[in-house]
Amino acid sequence: MRCREKIIGYQFCAHSVYNCSYFIESLAGAVLVDSGYNKETVWNCVRPILEPLATLDTMKVHPVRELDELCRCEAYEKEISVSDIDGKPSVTIEVKVNGISYKDTRCGINKKTAKKLAAKTVL
């Protein structure tokens, strides 16, 4: 089970996940037909491949989204500025909470990565 090892080891890329989804879909379809359309049998066969199942408790929220939601819910002021430092994108995030300013500047290979790193630090 090469796909399973990659998923469990968190060393997967979108391409391998895409291929694994086709594998699981084909397996589920074959078991469904062979079992006489018994959904319980399909679930019992496919579940071990999918474990550990992602739930709301086990999933991590993306740092940028988490910071956005926190600032929106608590009415914190948030400022984001983007610049280039030595040709690399740089993102500065500043959040003001009760008069205290939390600020971080990060560089990354692209703007998205820099923003994620800065948001993680500010959190």
Side-chain angles (χ1 to χ4, degrees):
M1 287 269 170
R2 219 169 159 173
C3 291
R4 181 171 164 77
E5 291 170 5
K6 286 185 178 184
I7 291 171
I8 290 175
Y10 300 106
Q11 298 174 355
F12 61 90
C13 64
H15 184 69
S16 64
V17 171
Y18 187 73
N19 288 337
C20 284
S21 68
Y22 273 134
F23 167 75
I24 292 169
E25 181 182 12
S26 298
L27 176 68
V31 171
L32 183 66
V33 171
D34 290 347
S35 68
Y37 296 92
N38 184 334
K39 293 178 190 173
E40 188 65 31
T41 303
V42 174
W43 181 242
N44 289 335
C45 180
V46 174
R47 184 179 179 137
I49 297 169
L50 298 176
E51 287 182 348
L53 293 171
T55 64
L56 293 176
D57 296 330
T58 60
M59 289 176 51
K60 292 184 180 180
V61 179
H62 194 280
V64 175
R65 181 176 177 188
E66 185 177 359
L67 184 62
D68 286 343
E69 289 177 0
L70 178 67
C71 291
R72 192 176 325 111
C73 290
E74 301 294 330
Y76 297 151
E77 292 180 46
K78 179 180 72 170
E79 293 179 25
I80 298 175
S81 60
V82 180
S83 61
D84 280 345
I85 297 176
D86 297 330
K88 290 184 179 180
S90 171
V91 175
T92 300
I93 298 178
E94 182 176 6
V95 177
K96 294 179 183 172
V97 179
N98 300 327
I100 300 171
S101 180
Y102 298 92
K103 182 177 179 179
D104 190 48
T105 302
R106 294 293 172 137
C107 293
I109 56 172
N110 55 35
K111 181 179 143 185
K112 188 177 177 180
T113 302
K115 189 174 181 182
K116 178 182 175 181
L117 294 172
K120 203 173 191 178
T121 305
V122 169
L123 282 169

